[in-house]
Amino acid sequence: MSKGIRIEGLKKRYGTGDTAVDALKGVDMQVEPGEVVGLIGPSGSGKSTLLKCLGAVIDPTAGRMVLGNEVIYDNGWKVRDLRALRRDKIGFVFQAPYLIPFLDVTDNVALIPMLAHASNKEARSKALELLAALDVQHRAKAMPSQLSGGEQQRVAIARGLVNRPPVILADEPTAPLDSERAMGVIRILNEMARKFETAIIVVTHDEKIIPTFKRIYHIRDGVTHEEAGEGKGIE
Ligand SMILES: Nc1ncnc2c1ncn2[C@@H]1O[C@H](COP(=O)(O)OP(=O)(O)OP(=O)(O)O)[C@@H](O)[C@H]1O
Ligand SMILES: [Mg+2]
């Protein structure tokens, strides 16, 4: 039984005709459950495009993607309900936190399990558990506008993890954080990966966290190359 994520020959073309951009030209990638891999490449190389395809936010043009035992894309989506796929299988962590301004910190996180039909009480307790793990439980009743940038980011990360998705896609998750907080985020991602057999892809330019990865995919002009990382882990 194969789990985790597998991507084979993935292509993405934006637009058509003279203005078409081939952002992904045949990407191969495999992430095992429990693994945190880095995705590194210059600006415009296709990192965000790859995460958006894998997260079913945009449609690829061709190729194949397998999530757990399920072929989700094979020259077309094989999943009927893409909204449910995004909600239940994929956790997103973006560079900009995108918190909902009129909900407090706890509700920003609890909203996610509620959308997946958890009870109010269950959703709040899951939210508080993740907020504690990310060291922001003392801000549980605050509104997003009252938080520092780093606190907002940690709340956004709690939101990405709260449903325990089998896959987490993180696009520059540590960019706004100081190095101690950045390492804290990497520690949480590694713990999540181990505990819940999550497959995690982290797009980053952050020199401090690159040495923590055991495996790194380099992407350039829409093509990936795998490479062993320093694999120092954390601490
Ligand atoms: N919606 C779009 N329409 C047309 N072209 C796009 C679109 N989104 C991205 N592109 C192009 O696709 C290529 C890959 O973009 P992408 O955003 O995936 O790069 P990236 O590696 O995430 O870069 P960065 O490090 O700057 O975030 C770039 O040439 C970009 O201009
Ligand atoms: Mg990007």
Side-chain angles (χ1 to χ4, degrees), residues 126-201:
K126 281 185 177 181
L128 290 170
E129 187 187 334
L130 260 296
L131 291 171
L134 284 145
D135 204 20
V136 273
Q137 73 276 40
H138 58 293
R139 305 298 275 142
K141 292 201 175 76
M143 301 306 281
S145 63
Q146 300 171 316
L147 304 179
S148 74
E151 286 170 342
Q152 289 182 25
Q153 185 62 353
R154 281 179 283 145
V155 173
I157 291 166
R159 196 177 47 183
L161 304 184
V162 69
N163 270 353
R164 310 277 152 81
V167 175
I168 290 172
L169 306 175
D171 201 349
E172 302 268 5
T174 62
L177 305 180
D178 64 39
S179 63
E180 194 181 324
R181 300 264 189 239
M183 287 310 266
V185 164
I186 293 302
R187 182 175 304 115
I188 301 263
L189 292 176
N190 276 280
E191 273 170 25
M192 283 291 298
R194 223 179 13 242
K195 230 198 255 176
F196 305 111
E197 304 235 288
T198 316
I200 303 183
I201 300 175

Coordinates of all heavy atoms in Angstrom, one line a residue, residues 126-201:
K126 N -10.0 21.1 19.7 CA -8.9 20.8 18.7 C -8.1 22.1 18.4 O -6.9 22.1 18.3 CB -9.5 20.4 17.3 CG -9.9 18.9 17.3 CD -10.4 18.6 15.9 CE -10.7 17.1 15.8 NZ -11.2 16.7 14.4
A127 N -8.9 23.2 18.3 CA -8.2 24.5 18.0 C -7.3 24.9 19.2 O -6.1 25.3 18.9 CB -9.3 25.6 17.8
L128 N -7.8 24.8 20.4 CA -6.9 25.2 21.5 C -5.7 24.3 21.7 O -4.6 24.8 22.0 CB -7.8 25.1 22.8 CG -8.8 26.2 22.9 CD1 -9.8 26.0 24.0 CD2 -8.2 27.6 23.0
E129 N -5.8 23.0 21.3 CA -4.7 22.1 21.4 C -3.6 22.6 20.4 O -2.4 22.6 20.8 CB -5.2 20.7 21.0 CG -4.2 19.6 21.2 CD -4.6 18.3 20.6 OE1 -5.9 18.0 20.5 OE2 -3.8 17.5 20.2
L130 N -4.0 22.9 19.2 CA -3.0 23.4 18.2 C -2.4 24.7 18.6 O -1.2 25.0 18.4 CB -3.7 23.4 16.8 CG -3.4 22.3 15.9 CD1 -1.9 22.2 15.5 CD2 -3.8 20.9 16.5
L131 N -3.3 25.6 19.1 CA -2.8 26.9 19.5 C -1.7 26.8 20.6 O -0.7 27.5 20.6 CB -3.9 27.8 20.0 CG -4.9 28.3 18.9 CD1 -6.1 29.0 19.5 CD2 -4.2 29.2 17.9
A132 N -2.0 25.8 21.5 CA -1.0 25.6 22.6 C 0.3 25.0 22.0 O 1.4 25.5 22.3 CB -1.6 24.6 23.6
A133 N 0.2 24.1 21.0 CA 1.4 23.5 20.4 C 2.2 24.6 19.7 O 3.4 24.5 19.6 CB 1.0 22.4 19.4
L134 N 1.5 25.6 19.2 CA 2.2 26.7 18.5 C 2.5 27.9 19.4 O 3.0 29.0 18.9 CB 1.5 27.1 17.3 CG 1.6 26.1 16.2 CD1 0.4 25.9 15.3 CD2 2.8 26.5 15.3
D135 N 2.3 27.7 20.7 CA 2.7 28.7 21.7 C 1.9 30.0 21.5 O 2.5 31.1 21.7 CB 4.2 28.9 21.6 CG 4.8 29.5 22.9 OD1 4.1 29.3 23.9 OD2 5.9 30.0 22.8
V136 N 0.7 30.0 21.1 CA -0.1 31.2 21.0 C -1.4 31.1 21.8 O -2.4 31.9 21.6 CB -0.5 31.7 19.6 CG1 0.6 32.5 19.0 CG2 -0.8 30.5 18.7
Q137 N -1.5 30.1 22.7 CA -2.8 29.9 23.4 C -3.2 31.1 24.3 O -4.4 31.4 24.5 CB -2.8 28.6 24.3 CG -2.0 28.6 25.5 CD -0.5 28.3 25.2 OE1 0.1 28.7 24.2 NE2 0.1 27.5 26.1
H138 N -2.2 31.9 24.7 CA -2.5 33.1 25.5 C -3.2 34.2 24.7 O -3.7 35.1 25.2 CB -1.2 33.6 26.2 CG -0.1 34.0 25.1 ND1 0.5 33.0 24.4 CD2 0.4 35.2 24.8 CE1 1.4 33.7 23.6 NE2 1.3 34.9 23.8
R139 N -3.2 34.0 23.4 CA -3.9 35.0 22.5 C -5.2 34.4 22.0 O -5.8 35.0 21.0 CB -3.0 35.4 21.3 CG -1.6 35.9 21.8 CD -1.7 37.2 22.6 NE -1.8 38.3 21.8 CZ -2.5 39.4 22.1 NH1 -3.3 39.4 23.1 NH2 -2.5 40.4 21.3
A140 N -5.7 33.4 22.6 CA -6.8 32.6 22.0 C -8.1 33.5 21.8 O -8.8 33.3 20.9 CB -7.2 31.4 22.9
K141 N -8.2 34.5 22.7 CA -9.4 35.4 22.6 C -9.2 36.7 21.9 O -10.1 37.5 21.7 CB -9.9 35.7 24.0 CG -10.5 34.4 24.8 CD -11.4 34.9 25.9 CE -12.1 33.7 26.6 NZ -11.1 33.0 27.5
A142 N -8.0 36.9 21.4 CA -7.7 38.1 20.7 C -8.2 38.1 19.3 O -8.5 37.1 18.7 CB -6.2 38.3 20.7
M143 N -8.4 39.3 18.7 CA -8.8 39.4 17.3 C -7.5 39.5 16.5 O -6.4 39.9 17.0 CB -9.6 40.7 17.1 CG -10.8 40.8 17.9 SD -12.0 39.3 17.7 CE -12.7 39.7 16.1
P144 N -7.5 39.0 15.2 CA -6.3 39.0 14.4 C -5.6 40.3 14.3 O -4.3 40.4 14.4 CB -6.8 38.6 13.0 CG -8.0 37.8 13.3 CD -8.7 38.4 14.5
S145 N -6.3 41.5 14.3 CA -5.6 42.8 14.2 C -4.8 43.1 15.4 O -4.0 44.0 15.4 CB -6.7 43.8 13.9 OG -7.6 43.9 15.1
Q146 N -5.1 42.4 16.5 CA -4.4 42.7 17.8 C -3.1 41.9 17.9 O -2.4 42.0 18.9 CB -5.3 42.4 19.0 CG -6.5 43.2 19.0 CD -7.5 42.8 20.0 OE1 -7.8 41.6 20.2 NE2 -8.1 43.8 20.8
L147 N -2.8 41.0 16.9 CA -1.6 40.1 17.0 C -0.4 40.7 16.2 O -0.6 41.4 15.3 CB -2.0 38.8 16.4 CG -3.2 38.0 16.9 CD1 -3.3 36.7 16.1 CD2 -3.0 37.7 18.4
S148 N 0.7 40.3 16.6 CA 1.9 40.6 15.9 C 1.9 39.8 14.6 O 1.2 38.8 14.5 CB 3.2 40.3 16.7 OG 3.4 38.9 16.8
G149 N 2.8 40.1 13.6 CA 2.9 39.3 12.4 C 3.2 37.9 12.6 O 2.6 37.0 12.1
G150 N 4.2 37.7 13.6 CA 4.6 36.3 13.9 C 3.5 35.5 14.5 O 3.3 34.3 14.2
E151 N 2.7 36.2 15.4 CA 1.6 35.5 16.1 C 0.5 35.1 15.0 O -0.1 34.0 15.1 CB 1.0 36.4 17.2 CG 1.8 36.5 18.4 CD 1.4 37.5 19.4 OE1 0.6 38.4 19.0 OE2 1.8 37.5 20.6
Q152 N 0.2 36.1 14.1 CA -0.8 35.8 13.1 C -0.3 34.5 12.3 O -1.2 33.7 11.9 CB -0.9 37.0 12.1 CG -1.6 38.2 12.7 CD -1.8 39.3 11.8 OE1 -1.8 39.1 10.5 NE2 -1.9 40.5 12.3
Q153 N 1.0 34.5 12.0 CA 1.5 33.4 11.2 C 1.3 32.0 11.9 O 0.9 31.0 11.4 CB 2.9 33.6 10.8 CG 3.5 32.5 9.9 CD 2.8 32.5 8.5 OE1 1.8 33.1 8.3 NE2 3.3 31.7 7.6
R154 N 1.5 32.1 13.2 CA 1.4 30.8 14.0 C -0.1 30.4 14.1 O -0.4 29.2 14.1 CB 2.1 31.0 15.4 CG 3.6 30.8 15.3 CD 4.3 31.0 16.6 NE 4.4 32.4 16.9 CZ 4.3 32.8 18.2 NH1 4.2 32.0 19.2 NH2 4.5 34.1 18.4
V155 N -1.0 31.4 14.2 CA -2.4 31.0 14.1 C -2.8 30.4 12.8 O -3.5 29.4 12.7 CB -3.3 32.3 14.4 CG1 -4.8 31.9 14.2 CG2 -3.0 32.8 15.8
A156 N -2.2 31.0 11.7 CA -2.5 30.4 10.4 C -2.0 29.0 10.2 O -2.6 28.2 9.6 CB -1.9 31.4 9.3
I157 N -0.8 28.7 10.9 CA -0.3 27.4 10.8 C -1.2 26.4 11.6 O -1.4 25.3 11.1 CB 1.2 27.4 11.3 CG1 2.1 28.1 10.3 CG2 1.7 26.0 11.5 CD1 3.4 28.5 10.8
A158 N -1.6 26.9 12.8 CA -2.5 26.1 13.6 C -3.7 25.7 12.7 O -4.2 24.6 12.7 CB -3.0 26.8 14.8
R159 N -4.2 26.6 11.9 CA -5.4 26.4 11.1 C -5.1 25.4 10.0 O -5.9 24.5 9.7 CB -5.8 27.7 10.5 CG -7.2 27.7 9.9 CD -7.6 29.0 9.4 NE -6.6 29.6 8.5 CZ -6.6 30.8 8.0 NH1 -7.7 31.5 8.2 NH2 -5.6 31.2 7.3
G160 N -3.9 25.4 9.4 CA -3.5 24.5 8.4 C -3.4 23.0 8.9 O -3.6 22.1 8.2
L161 N -3.1 22.9 10.3 CA -2.8 21.6 10.8 C -4.0 21.0 11.5 O -4.0 19.8 11.8 CB -1.7 21.7 11.8 CG -0.3 22.3 11.4 CD1 0.7 22.2 12.5 CD2 0.2 21.5 10.1
V162 N -5.0 21.8 11.8 CA -6.1 21.4 12.8 C -6.9 20.2 12.4 O -7.3 19.4 13.2 CB -6.9 22.6 13.2 CG1 -7.8 23.0 12.1 CG2 -7.8 22.3 14.5
N163 N -7.1 20.0 11.1 CA -7.9 18.8 10.7 C -7.0 17.6 10.5 O -7.5 16.6 10.0 CB -8.6 19.1 9.4 CG -10.0 19.7 9.6 OD1 -10.5 19.7 10.7 ND2 -10.6 20.1 8.5
R164 N -5.7 17.7 10.8 CA -4.8 16.6 10.7 C -4.8 16.0 9.3 O -5.0 14.8 9.1 CB -5.1 15.4 11.7 CG -5.3 15.9 13.1 CD -3.9 16.0 13.7 NE -3.9 17.0 14.8 CZ -4.3 16.8 16.1 NH1 -4.8 15.6 16.4 NH2 -4.2 17.7 16.9
P165 N -4.6 16.9 8.3 CA -4.7 16.4 6.9 C -3.5 15.5 6.6 O -2.4 15.7 7.2 CB -4.6 17.6 6.0 CG -3.9 18.6 6.9 CD -4.3 18.3 8.3
P166 N -3.6 14.5 5.7 CA -2.5 13.6 5.3 C -1.4 14.4 4.5 O -0.3 13.9 4.5 CB -3.1 12.5 4.5 CG -4.4 13.1 4.0 CD -4.9 14.1 5.0
V167 N -1.7 15.5 4.0 CA -0.8 16.3 3.3 C -0.8 17.8 3.7 O -1.9 18.4 3.9 CB -1.1 16.3 1.7 CG1 -0.2 17.2 1.0 CG2 -1.0 14.9 1.2
I168 N 0.4 18.3 3.9 CA 0.4 19.8 4.2 C 1.3 20.5 3.2 O 2.4 20.0 2.9 CB 0.9 20.0 5.7 CG1 -0.1 19.6 6.7 CG2 1.3 21.5 5.9 CD1 0.3 19.6 8.1
L169 N 0.8 21.5 2.6 CA 1.5 22.3 1.7 C 1.8 23.7 2.3 O 0.9 24.4 2.6 CB 0.7 22.5 0.4 CG 0.1 21.2 -0.2 CD1 -0.8 21.5 -1.4 CD2 1.3 20.3 -0.7
A170 N 3.1 24.0 2.4 CA 3.5 25.2 3.1 C 4.3 26.1 2.1 O 5.4 25.6 1.7 CB 4.3 24.9 4.4
D171 N 3.8 27.2 1.8 CA 4.5 28.1 0.9 C 5.2 29.3 1.7 O 4.5 30.2 2.2 CB 3.5 28.7 -0.1 CG 4.2 29.2 -1.4 OD1 5.4 29.3 -1.4 OD2 3.5 29.5 -2.4
E172 N 6.5 29.2 1.9 CA 7.2 30.2 2.6 C 6.6 30.4 4.0 O 6.4 31.5 4.4 CB 7.2 31.5 1.9 CG 7.8 31.4 0.5 CD 9.3 31.8 0.5 OE1 9.9 31.9 1.6 OE2 9.9 31.8 -0.6
P173 N 6.4 29.3 4.8 CA 5.7 29.5 6.1 C 6.5 30.2 7.1 O 5.9 30.8 8.1 CB 5.5 28.0 6.6 CG 6.6 27.3 5.9 CD 6.9 27.9 4.6
T174 N 7.8 30.3 7.0 CA 8.6 31.0 8.0 C 9.1 32.4 7.6 O 9.8 33.0 8.4 CB 9.8 30.1 8.4 OG1 10.7 30.0 7.3 CG2 9.4 28.8 8.9
A175 N 8.7 32.8 6.5 CA 9.2 34.1 5.9 C 9.1 35.3 6.9 O 10.1 36.0 7.1 CB 8.6 34.4 4.6
P176 N 7.9 35.5 7.6 CA 7.8 36.6 8.4 C 8.4 36.4 9.9 O 8.2 37.3 10.7 CB 6.3 37.0 8.4 CG 5.7 35.7 8.1 CD 6.7 34.8 7.5
L177 N 9.0 35.3 10.2 CA 9.3 34.9 11.5 C 10.8 35.1 11.8 O 11.6 35.0 11.0 CB 8.9 33.5 11.8 CG 7.5 33.1 11.6 CD1 7.3 31.6 11.9 CD2 6.5 34.0 12.4
D178 N 11.1 35.5 13.1 CA 12.5 35.5 13.5 C 13.0 34.1 13.6 O 12.3 33.1 13.5 CB 12.7 36.2 14.8 CG 12.0 35.6 16.0 OD1 12.0 34.3 16.1 OD2 11.5 36.3 16.8
S179 N 14.4 33.9 13.7 CA 14.9 32.5 13.5 C 14.5 31.6 14.6 O 14.2 30.4 14.3 CB 16.4 32.6 13.4 OG 17.0 33.1 14.5
E180 N 14.2 32.0 15.8 CA 13.8 31.1 16.9 C 12.4 30.6 16.5 O 12.1 29.4 16.6 CB 13.8 31.8 18.2 CG 13.7 30.9 19.4 CD 13.7 31.7 20.7 OE1 14.4 32.7 20.7 OE2 13.0 31.4 21.6
R181 N 11.5 31.5 16.2 CA 10.1 31.1 15.8 C 10.1 30.3 14.5 O 9.3 29.3 14.4 CB 9.3 32.4 15.5 CG 9.2 33.3 16.7 CD 7.9 33.0 17.5 NE 7.7 34.0 18.5 CZ 7.6 33.8 19.8 NH1 7.7 32.5 20.3 NH2 7.4 34.7 20.7
A182 N 11.0 30.6 13.6 CA 11.0 29.8 12.4 C 11.4 28.4 12.7 O 10.8 27.4 12.2 CB 12.0 30.4 11.4
M183 N 12.4 28.2 13.6 CA 12.8 26.8 13.9 C 11.6 26.2 14.7 O 11.4 25.0 14.6 CB 14.0 26.8 14.8 CG 15.3 27.1 14.0 SD 15.4 26.1 12.5 CE 16.5 24.8 13.1
G184 N 10.9 26.9 15.5 CA 9.7 26.4 16.2 C 8.7 25.9 15.2 O 8.1 24.8 15.4
V185 N 8.5 26.6 14.1 CA 7.5 26.1 13.1 C 8.0 24.8 12.5 O 7.2 23.9 12.3 CB 7.3 27.3 12.1 CG1 6.6 26.7 10.8 CG2 6.5 28.4 12.7
I186 N 9.3 24.8 12.2 CA 9.8 23.6 11.6 C 9.7 22.4 12.5 O 9.4 21.3 12.1 CB 11.3 23.8 11.1 CG1 11.3 24.8 10.0 CG2 12.0 22.5 10.7 CD1 10.5 24.4 8.7
R187 N 9.9 22.7 13.8 CA 9.8 21.6 14.8 C 8.4 21.0 14.8 O 8.2 19.8 14.8 CB 10.2 22.1 16.2 CG 10.2 21.1 17.3 CD 10.7 21.6 18.6 NE 12.0 22.1 18.5 CZ 12.3 23.4 18.7 NH1 11.4 24.3 19.0 NH2 13.6 23.8 18.6
I188 N 7.4 22.0 14.8 CA 6.0 21.5 14.8 C 5.7 20.7 13.6 O 5.0 19.7 13.6 CB 5.0 22.8 14.8 CG1 5.3 23.6 16.0 CG2 3.6 22.3 14.7 CD1 4.4 23.4 17.2
L189 N 6.1 21.2 12.4 CA 5.9 20.5 11.2 C 6.5 19.1 11.2 O 5.8 18.1 10.8 CB 6.4 21.2 9.9 CG 5.6 22.5 9.6 CD1 6.3 23.3 8.5 CD2 4.2 22.3 9.3
N190 N 7.7 18.9 11.7 CA 8.3 17.6 11.9 C 7.6 16.7 12.8 O 7.4 15.5 12.6 CB 9.8 17.8 12.3 CG 10.7 18.0 11.1 OD1 11.1 17.1 10.3 ND2 11.0 19.3 10.8
E191 N 7.1 17.3 13.9 CA 6.3 16.5 14.9 C 5.0 16.0 14.3 O 4.7 14.9 14.5 CB 6.0 17.4 16.1 CG 7.1 17.4 17.2 CD 6.8 18.4 18.3 OE1 5.6 18.8 18.5 OE2 7.8 18.9 18.9
M192 N 4.4 16.9 13.6 CA 3.1 16.6 13.0 C 3.3 15.4 12.0 O 2.6 14.5 11.9 CB 2.5 17.8 12.1 CG 1.9 18.8 12.9 SD 0.3 18.3 13.6 CE -0.6 17.9 12.2
A193 N 4.4 15.6 11.2 CA 4.7 14.6 10.2 C 4.9 13.2 10.8 O 4.3 12.2 10.3 CB 5.9 15.0 9.4
R194 N 5.6 13.2 11.9 CA 5.9 11.9 12.6 C 4.7 11.3 13.2 O 4.4 10.2 13.0 CB 7.0 12.2 13.6 CG 8.1 11.1 13.6 CD 9.2 11.3 14.7 NE 8.9 12.3 15.6 CZ 9.6 13.4 15.8 NH1 10.7 13.7 15.0 NH2 9.4 14.3 16.7
K195 N 4.0 12.2 14.0 CA 2.9 11.7 14.8 C 1.7 11.3 13.9 O 1.0 10.3 14.2 CB 2.4 12.9 15.7 CG 2.3 12.5 17.2 CD 1.4 13.5 17.9 CE 2.3 14.3 18.8 NZ 1.6 15.4 19.4
F196 N 1.4 12.0 12.9 CA 0.2 11.8 12.1 C 0.5 11.2 10.7 O -0.4 11.2 9.9 CB -0.7 13.0 12.1 CG -1.0 13.6 13.4 CD1 -0.5 14.8 13.8 CD2 -1.8 12.9 14.3 CE1 -0.8 15.3 15.1 CE2 -2.1 13.4 15.5 CZ -1.6 14.6 15.9
E197 N 1.7 10.8 10.5 CA 2.1 10.3 9.2 C 1.7 11.3 8.0 O 1.3 10.9 7.0 CB 1.4 9.0 8.9 CG 1.7 8.0 10.0 CD 2.2 6.7 9.4 OE1 1.5 6.0 8.8 OE2 3.5 6.5 9.5
T198 N 1.9 12.5 8.3 CA 1.6 13.6 7.3 C 2.8 13.7 6.3 O 4.0 13.6 6.7 CB 1.5 14.9 8.0 OG1 0.7 14.7 9.2 CG2 0.8 15.9 7.2
A199 N 2.5 13.9 5.1 CA 3.5 14.2 4.1 C 3.5 15.7 3.9 O 2.5 16.3 3.6 CB 3.2 13.5 2.7
I200 N 4.7 16.3 4.1 CA 4.7 17.8 4.1 C 5.7 18.3 3.1 O 6.9 17.9 3.0 CB 5.1 18.3 5.6 CG1 4.1 17.8 6.6 CG2 5.2 19.8 5.6 CD1 4.3 18.2 8.0
I201 N 5.3 19.3 2.3 CA 6.2 20.0 1.4 C 6.3 21.4 1.8 O 5.3 22.1 2.0 CB 5.6 19.9 -0.1 CG1 5.4 18.5 -0.5 CG2 6.5 20.7 -1.0 CD1 4.7 18.3 -1.9

